[in-house]
Amino acid sequence: EPEVTQTPSHQVTQMGQEVILRCVPISNHLYFYWYRQILGQKVEFLVSFYNNEISEKSEIFDDQFSVERPDGSNFTLKIRSTKLEDSAMYFCASLSGWAGNEQFFGPGTRLTVL
Amino acid sequence: EDQVTQSPEALRLQEGESSSLNCSYTVSGLRGLFWYRQDPGKGPEFLFTLYSAGEEKEKERLKATLTKKESFLHITAPKPEDSATYLCAVQLYGQNFVFGPGTRLSVLP
C-alpha cells in the first residue's frame, strides 16, 4: 500500500542552525502539506502546496520557513534559523486531489532544537 | 476565529463499554470534517470524512455522525487495541485544515 515517508525520523540541531526536513508523498498525489505538533499539543497546519506553489499558509509559517519540491518526488520543509520553540514533531501529508479529501500522513520527524 | 474543540480530553473505558466522543466547531466555512486516529509517536491515520449534516459513516466498531455544529465518534464495544488519541479536523474553504486537541482513549481489558 502506498505511504508517505519522511526523513530523518529524529533531527537534533543547535539553535540558529538551518534544518531541512524531507518527505516523499504518495505518487500521483497533487496536494502536499506540512504540519507540526508540539509535544502534548494539537496538530497545527503550517502550509499547503499545489502545482509547485504555496496555496495557503498559517501565521506560524513565517519568513524562517520555506517549502520546495525540488524534483518529482521529494517535498521539503526548510527552517532557516531554528529556535528552541521550533522543537516539535513535523508531519508531512499528501492528498490525491481526485479521489476524496483524505490526507495521508507520514510518520513524522521529531525536531529537537538545543 | 476558526475553532475546533473536542471532549472529553481523556476517556477510560472497560473493554465492551460503548461511548461517544464529541467534536464541536465554529468555523467560517466548512468543506469537510475528518476523524483521525493517532498512536503515540506516529502520524494521524485517516478514519472518516463527513461533508453534510445528517451524514453517517461506519467502520468496524466506529461510527461517525455530523450535525451543523458538531460531530460524534461512537465507539461500540471497544477493545484494548482501540486505545489511541482520536483527532477531529475541519477543512476550511481552501486547503487549510484546523485540528482539535484530540480525545485520549484508553480501553482497559
Side-chain angles (χ1 to χ4, degrees):
Chain A
E1 185 175 320
E3 59 182 15
V4 177
T5 59
Q6 290 185 244
T7 54
S9 58
H10 191 191
Q11 173 93 45
V12 181
T13 190
Q14 295 290 326
M15 187 171 59
Q17 295 296 304
E18 175 182 287
V19 295
I20 297 176
L21 310 183
R22 291 182 167 79
C23 167
V24 179
I26 294 173
S27 175
N28 294 329
H29 278 196
L30 300 178
Y31 293 87
F32 314 112
Y33 307 83
W34 283 103
Y35 292 86
R36 79 172 184 191
Q37 187 174 32
I38 295 170
L39 185 63
Q41 297 186 25
K42 64 179 181 179
V43 175
E44 297 175 291
F45 169 78
L46 293 178
V47 65
S48 59
F49 193 86
Y50 170 73
N51 200 25
N52 284 322
E53 62 183 24
I54 292 173
S55 51
E56 293 198 46
K57 60 183 180 179
S58 71
E59 291 176 354
I60 302 169
F61 194 88
D62 60 23
D63 291 343
Q64 69 161 341
F65 291 93
S66 62
V67 290
E68 199 175 39
R69 190 156 160 82
D71 52 43
S73 59
N74 289 285
F75 180 50
T76 62
L77 175 69
K78 182 192 289 186
I79 309 175
R80 254 180 279 282
S81 178
T82 50
K83 304 171 191 168
L84 295 176
E85 53 265 37
D86 293 327
S87 295
M89 281 288 280
Y90 287 81
F91 294 107
C92 171
S94 71
L95 185 157
S96 69
W98 41 266
N101 272 334
E102 301 91 59
Q103 292 182 83
F104 294 86
F105 282 77
T109 293
R110 177 177 299 178
L111 176 65
T112 301
V113 182
L114 302 176
Chain B
E1 184 186 345
D2 299 309
Q3 245 186 344
V4 179
T5 58
Q6 292 187 246
S7 61
E9 185 176 320
L11 181 63
R12 295 180 71 169
L13 300 173
Q14 290 296 133
E15 184 172 1
E17 180 187 0
S18 302
S19 189
S20 297
L21 313 182
N22 176 264
C23 169
S24 297
Y25 57 91
T26 50
V27 295
S28 51
L30 177 72
R31 288 187 66 185
L33 185 139
F34 300 78
W35 282 97
Y36 291 87
R37 169 192 171 124
Q38 186 176 29
D39 292 300
K42 297 192 175 181
E45 176 189 340
F46 170 78
L47 294 173
F48 302 108
T49 310
L50 301 165
Y51 291 104
S52 56
E55 190 174 358
E56 296 183 355
K57 294 270 180 76
E58 279 189 73
K59 180 180 178 181
E60 295 180 354
R61 296 177 291 282
L62 300 176
K63 182 166 99 172
T65 61
L66 180 65
T67 71
K68 286 188 176 178
K69 289 295 178 190
E70 59 188 352
S71 177
F72 292 92
L73 184 65
H74 307 278
I75 302 176
T76 302
K79 299 182 177 181
E81 53 263 40
D82 294 323
S83 297
T85 296
Y86 290 84
L87 305 175
C88 165
V90 169
Q91 182 182 7
L92 307 178
Y93 286 112
Q95 288 299 322
N96 190 337
F97 291 77
V98 179
F99 277 76
T103 292
R104 198 168 57 252
L105 174 67
S106 300
V107 182
L108 307 176

